[in-house]
Structures are given as C-alpha cells and as structure tokens.
Amino acid sequence: MILAANFKMNHTRASTKLYIDRLQICGKPENIQIYLFPPFTALDRYESVAVIGAQNGYPARNGSYTGEIGLEQLEEFEIKTILLGHSERRHLLGEDQEFIAKKFDFYKQAGFEIFYCVGETLEVRKSGSKELMEAYLEAQLEGIDTAYEKLVIAYEPVWAIGTGQSATPQDIQEALAYLRTKSGAPLLYGGSVKPQNIAQILEISECDGALIGTASWDVEQFCEMIQIAKEL
Ligand code: PGA
C-alpha cells in the first residue's frame, strides 16, 4: 500500500526537516510505502522512511527555462520520483495534455517513478454521465505510457481536492475500475483524504493507496493515517 504526502506550496526547508525527523519516530509499517513531495526548496538527501519525490519538473536536463527545475537539479538530491499531471498544474498553471505527456516521456526516459494524476472537473461529475467521465479520464491518459513499470496513477477528482469533500466510495470504486481497464499500475485515490475517511477509502477494491494533501501537512495526522493503514 502507498501513502503519499503532497506538501504543495506548504512547509519550509526547516519545517520539512522537523517533519521528516518526526516521521522516523512514527516508523514505517512493512505493508506501507511512504512518499513525501516537499517543495523544491526543501529537497535534500534525507535519511527517511519516506521516499522523497519532486512535485514537478521541466522536461529537460538543464537550460534556459526561468523559474523551472530540471533533471540536473533533481539528480543532485538523488530524486528519482516525480508527481506529474496534478490538477493544480493542469487547471491553475495551465499545463495542457501535450506538455504533460512530454514531461512524462522525459522523466520516463530518465527512469523516474512517476505518480501521474488524473481526475474529472465538477462539471463533468455533475453531468452524471459515465461516458463523459470516462472520456475525460481517457483524454488525460493521452500520450502516457500506461504500461510503464514505474507508474503509479492517482485518481483525484478536481472538486474533491482541498475542499474537505471526498468522493464517495462508490464514485472512487467506479473510477478506479475504469482506470484498471487502462493500466496495471498501482491506483491511488486523492481528494480530501483524512484520518476520518482513510480506512473506508483504502478498503475500496482496486485502491492501492492514497495521495494526501491538506491532512498530510500536519505530521501527527499523517502518522495517524499510517497507523490506520497499518491495521487494515
Ligand atoms: P487534498 O489534496 O488532500 O488537500 O484534497 C490532495 C492532492 O491534491 O493531492
């Protein structure tokens, strides 16, 4: 089972260090793989029970890409895991599928483990149409090698991210069942996962773990979720 903490634009270098220290005490149950995606300024070669990944990366080794971070910078900290296609990058930062697929291809060539996010908008969800929903997810897989052996897919409905309102177990199960027809990769759910609902989510068939934003920023809550997952 995979539990991943996406810090987004939260935590500093100093607080990430404290977080990782606390996480060591919390420990790593055998059945769980823990991942942390801190902000770029907090990347380092940590001794940690968690695998440290990057929240994003430009599809180049280095070059004239102001404000971006590339393979050379990630290699310095031995980062071999990356998050791509997150809804905030798609919808707030305007990344289109073609660009995301280019990043995917680049980091795949570099041998990275890729956490790849997909998820429908509120409009699509509200339509109640299974066809529309599947077509939306399918479009987000365009240009993506779904057979890549180091791929993890996270289903994160846009309307459930950071809203406190998680998708229902049935919604999640349906989406994961659809994604399972597309890929043999581990499938995660993300979107307002917290200690109160994580057990129910992890029990969904086809659910191999969770990608957690808000509730993971407090290390005590993240530890609590690790403990809950351990018991399942
Ligand atoms: P959330 O974010 O847990 O705050 O909803 C999840 C994510 O964006 O990965």
Side-chain angles (χ1 to χ4, degrees):
M1 192 182 305
I2 294 172
L3 291 187
N6 176 10
F7 281 9
K8 311 191 179 186
M9 203 173 73
N10 297 282
H11 278 292
T12 60
R13 187 173 189 77
S15 70
T16 299
K17 171 91 178 54
L18 292 174
Y19 187 108
I20 288 172
D21 288 349
R22 172 68 186 100
L23 204 58
Q24 291 303 104
I25 299 165
C26 172
K28 194 193 96 57
E30 243 171 61
N31 62 333
I32 302 176
Q33 292 163 266
I34 305 171
Y35 290 81
L36 280 194
F37 294 91
F40 289 147
T41 55
L43 292 179
D44 210 334
R45 297 169 199 239
Y46 295 101
E47 274 292 315
S48 176
V49 292
V51 173
I52 308 296
Q55 292 178 20
N56 183 32
Y58 195 82
R61 223 193 126 64
N62 50 33
S64 297
Y65 305 104
T66 303
E68 292 291 326
I69 182 166
L71 183 59
E72 188 175 81
Q73 288 74 36
L74 297 176
E75 276 177 353
E76 183 177 20
F77 301 117
E78 291 172 0
I79 303 296
K80 294 294 277 174
T81 303
I82 193 163
L83 193 62
L84 294 176
H86 191 277
S87 93
E88 285 146 17
R89 303 244 26 122
R90 291 179 190 270
H91 301 289
L92 297 178
L93 283 308
E95 288 188 10
D96 64 17
Q97 188 58 28
E98 199 184 331
F99 186 48
I100 296 167
K102 200 170 158 193
K103 289 185 180 198
F104 187 98
D105 204 45
F106 180 83
Y107 283 97
K108 176 188 148 190
Q109 297 306 326
F112 272 54
E113 183 170 20
I114 302 176
F115 279 57
Y116 184 75
C117 305
V118 297
E120 81 284 1
T121 58
L122 183 59
E123 202 182 12
V124 172
R125 169 57 62 182
K126 273 189 172 161
S127 75
S129 159
K130 196 166 185 289
E131 290 71 37
L132 208 62
M133 161 91 185
E134 293 184 352
Y136 194 89
L137 296 181
E138 186 165 30
Q140 292 184 323
L141 293 174
E142 208 179 299
I144 302 302
D145 176 6
T146 54
Y148 178 45
E149 69 275 16
K150 292 187 190 165
L151 170 65
V152 175
I153 298 178
Y155 167 61
E156 299 207 309
V158 178
W159 50 274
I161 296 176
T163 59
Q165 188 202 344
S166 157
T168 65
Q170 196 192 336
D171 292 343
I172 299 170
Q173 208 241 299
E174 278 174 20
L176 296 187
Y178 171 70
L179 290 170
R180 179 55 71 224
T181 67
K182 301 284 167 188
S183 175
L187 301 176
L188 312 184
Y189 167 75
S192 298
V193 176
K194 48 195 163 198
Q196 296 81 353
N197 62 15
I198 194 165
Q200 197 186 22
I201 288 164
L202 295 178
E203 272 163 358
I204 295 168
S205 59
E206 301 292 0
C207 184
D208 301 302
L211 177 56
I212 309 155
T214 315
S216 75
W217 305 338
D218 172 4
V219 69
E220 300 309 328
Q221 284 202 54
F222 193 49
C223 286
E224 192 181 338
M225 290 186 275
I226 293 170
Q227 291 311 315
I228 294 169
K230 181 184 163 187
E231 305 303 329
L232 296 176

